Amino acid sequence: MTKIGLIGGIGPESTIAYYRQIVNGVQSELGPKVFPRLSIETLNPFQVFSFCKEERYEDLAAYVLEAIDNLASSGAKFAALTGNTPNIVYDKLQARSRIPLISAISATVEAAQARGVTKVGLLGTVFTMTNSFFKRPFEDAGIEVVVPEAEQIAYIQTKIETELEHGIVKDETRSRFIEIIEQMKAKGGIQQIILGCTELPLLLDDGASPVPCLDTMQIHVAALVKTIAD
Amino acid sequence: MTKIGLIGGIGPESTIAYYRQIVNGVQSELGPKVFPRLSIETLNPFQVFSFCKEERYEDLAAYVLEAIDNLASSGAKFAALTGNTPNIVYDKLQARSRIPLISAISATVEAAQARGVTKVGLLGTVFTMTNSFFKRPFEDAGIEVVVPEAEQIAYIQTKIETELEHGIVKDETRSRFIEIIEQMKAKGGIQQIILGCTELPLLLDDGASPVPCLDTMQIHVAALVKTIAD
């Protein structure tokens, strides 16, 4: 069994979900008394947001790389980020990391291709929705990516920062997110919606959403479990 | 802020509870945008049980020490075990570890002394209830420790292994645990009950238990938060 390193804390609630789902996934594959070999290094999500806001990408890369380096020192054979926003510096991380990274974005592109969709909506932090790092790999694969309107983007970022990163789930927030997806479906013609922030599954799933969800965390965990179990 | 290393996975559910409570505790002390610096190394609880059953204490110590060593390599300044059972080799761990350990048992003895209790019940794994490593520090402090009857000990171990380690919580199991505590109160005269396995708070708290609980996890987390924040 291959030891995995997780960059967690971005945010803490998604770290917990990754951990629980990886344990469950490995046990489903290999048996109920098997546990993954796993190390977790936790970062501060507000530090990550702060670097992104100030566009201090070298500092962000150094911050994440130090944690990846600690995982490598503890024997992890590959690493994964439990948040999508830090993927803004994925190219720098991949180029400099001592161990391979497994990307949630690449795994989600593959899942979207497998489902045959050609137009998807994207929800995530303001950095994920307004920069190209998340959208480009989809567009390179021939999948169009629609994002919400500017004021909706600001609303989503506020809710991620003030509620979801703290594990706070409100019905009122869920309703507003559903309205935003409905509008992206009606006006933008999206077929599915990417839950492109690993805190969003706290709020949305296929049952709640007006279109099927591409849950980056679920898709990423499946890819990680496969690598651990191989 | 001092970086903490957690030995997790023993079991996974208590690792999640430790992580969540440490984050919350540090934020209560230092502010809502502060996150603890934290690494987690996860072990396999069934491997720990297996070493205990076979009394392979040198192998158990080596297994835990490798994980502590990984935490030290990742920059952790002190380490803590998220399970009580591996404390069976605490003396070996403390003697050989590169970084100091913070003991849940010592913290619980101090809490019991602060509450002025002189006779407590102990619930935990069969190894915790039948060996001396957990009881002796209490007895050294003048606090008598009562454990359940042999068949009750076997029942508790089975429920920990087959339900609680998997995050399964059943009302029927809770009722039986409450009966056991009631009997320890009636026959043994216990004033409080030690939840001496970090999965037991899934089942019991002051609301459910017939006597007040000494929750080793809560008490341990408070000690860890104090060390991190200092």
Side-chain angles (χ1 to χ4, degrees), chain A residues 177-193:
Chain A
F177 272 67
I178 290 171
E179 277 172 31
I180 292 169
I181 299 170
E182 271 167 353
Q183 191 184 314
M184 292 166 87
K185 183 185 173 189
K187 287 195 188 169
I190 63 163
Q191 299 152 341
Q192 303 208 358
I193 186 83

Side-chain angles (χ1 to χ4, degrees), chain A residues 12-13 20 35 39-41, chain B residues 12-13 20 35 39-42:
Chain A
E13 284 303 319
R20 194 174 259 142
F35 279 79
S39 286
I40 307 173
E41 275 279 316
Chain B
E13 285 303 320
R20 194 174 260 142
F35 278 80
S39 286
I40 307 172
E41 276 279 316
T42 61

Side-chain angles (χ1 to χ4, degrees), chain B residues 115-121 143-144 184-185 188-193 210-214:
Chain B
R115 295 185 189 185
V117 295
T118 54
K119 198 166 187 181
V120 295
I143 299 168
E144 197 178 333
M184 292 167 87
K185 183 185 173 189
I190 63 164
Q191 299 151 341
Q192 304 208 356
I193 186 83
V211 295
C213 295
L214 284 155

Side-chain angles (χ1 to χ4, degrees), chain A:
Chain A
M1 202 160 48
T2 308
K3 183 170 182 180
I4 177 179
L6 285 185
I7 302 291
I10 46 177
E13 284 303 319
S14 74
T15 306
I16 290 170
Y18 264 90
Y19 177 58
R20 194 174 259 142
Q21 288 182 27
I22 289 171
V23 170
N24 292 345
V26 167
Q27 291 184 334
S28 296
E29 288 287 317
L30 302 178
K33 292 211 168 182
V34 177
F35 279 79
R37 294 192 58 214
L38 194 141
S39 286
I40 307 173
E41 275 279 316
T42 61
L43 300 179
N44 180 338
F46 298 109
Q47 182 65 67
V48 170
F49 287 154
S50 165
F51 284 140
C52 290
K53 272 176 196 157
E54 297 165 18
E55 299 184 7
R56 289 167 58 192
Y57 299 126
E58 276 302 320
D59 290 334
L60 174 60
Y63 183 59
V64 180
L65 275 164
E66 189 190 339
I68 294 175
D69 201 52
N70 287 339
L71 292 172
S73 298
S74 76
K77 297 300 178 209
F78 66 100
L81 308 178
T82 65
N84 285 313
T85 303
N87 282 299
I88 200 165
V89 292
Y90 189 81
D91 292 345
K92 291 182 202 291
L93 300 178
Q94 196 179 31
R96 297 187 213 157
S97 171
R98 286 159 58 193
I99 49 178
L101 305 181
I102 295 188
S103 159
I105 303 177
S106 304
T108 307
V109 170
E110 283 172 31
Q113 285 179 308
R115 294 185 190 185
V117 296
T118 54
K119 199 167 186 179
V120 295
L122 172 61
L123 301 183
T125 63
V126 58
F127 314 106
T128 297
M129 292 188 281
T130 59
N131 289 283
S132 62
F133 72 94
F134 201 106
K135 290 178 270 190
R136 199 184 326 107
F138 285 85
E139 289 160 359
D140 289 348
I143 299 168
E144 197 179 332
V145 181
V146 175
V147 297
E149 292 171 4
E151 56 153 358
Q152 294 171 337
I153 287 175
Y155 171 82
I156 292 166
Q157 177 64 18
T158 302
K159 292 300 167 178
I160 290 173
E161 280 199 46
T162 60
E163 295 174 11
L164 301 175
E165 293 292 352
H166 302 279
I168 299 166
V169 179
K170 293 183 180 173
D171 283 338
E172 177 195 335
T173 306
R174 182 182 288 114
S175 302
R176 181 78 193 278
F177 272 67
I178 290 171
E179 277 172 31
I180 292 169
I181 299 170
E182 271 167 353
Q183 191 184 314
M184 292 166 87
K185 183 185 173 189
K187 287 195 188 169
I190 63 163
Q191 299 152 341
Q192 303 208 358
I193 186 83
I194 300 169
L195 306 182
C197 163
T198 50
E199 313 294 344
L200 289 174
L202 292 174
L203 218 51
L204 294 166
D205 58 19
D206 282 342
S209 167
V211 295
C213 296
L214 284 155
D215 179 335
T216 56
M217 178 160 57
Q218 266 183 22
I219 294 164
H220 198 200
V221 165
L224 298 175
V225 167
K226 199 171 170 300
T227 308
I228 294 167
D230 270 356

Side-chain angles (χ1 to χ4, degrees), chain B residues 118-150:
Chain B
T118 54
K119 198 166 187 181
V120 295
L122 172 61
L123 301 183
T125 63
V126 58
F127 314 108
T128 297
M129 293 187 282
T130 59
N131 288 283
S132 61
F133 72 94
F134 201 108
K135 291 177 270 189
R136 200 185 325 108
F138 286 85
E139 288 160 359
D140 289 347
I143 299 168
E144 197 178 333
V145 180
V146 175
V147 297
E149 292 170 4

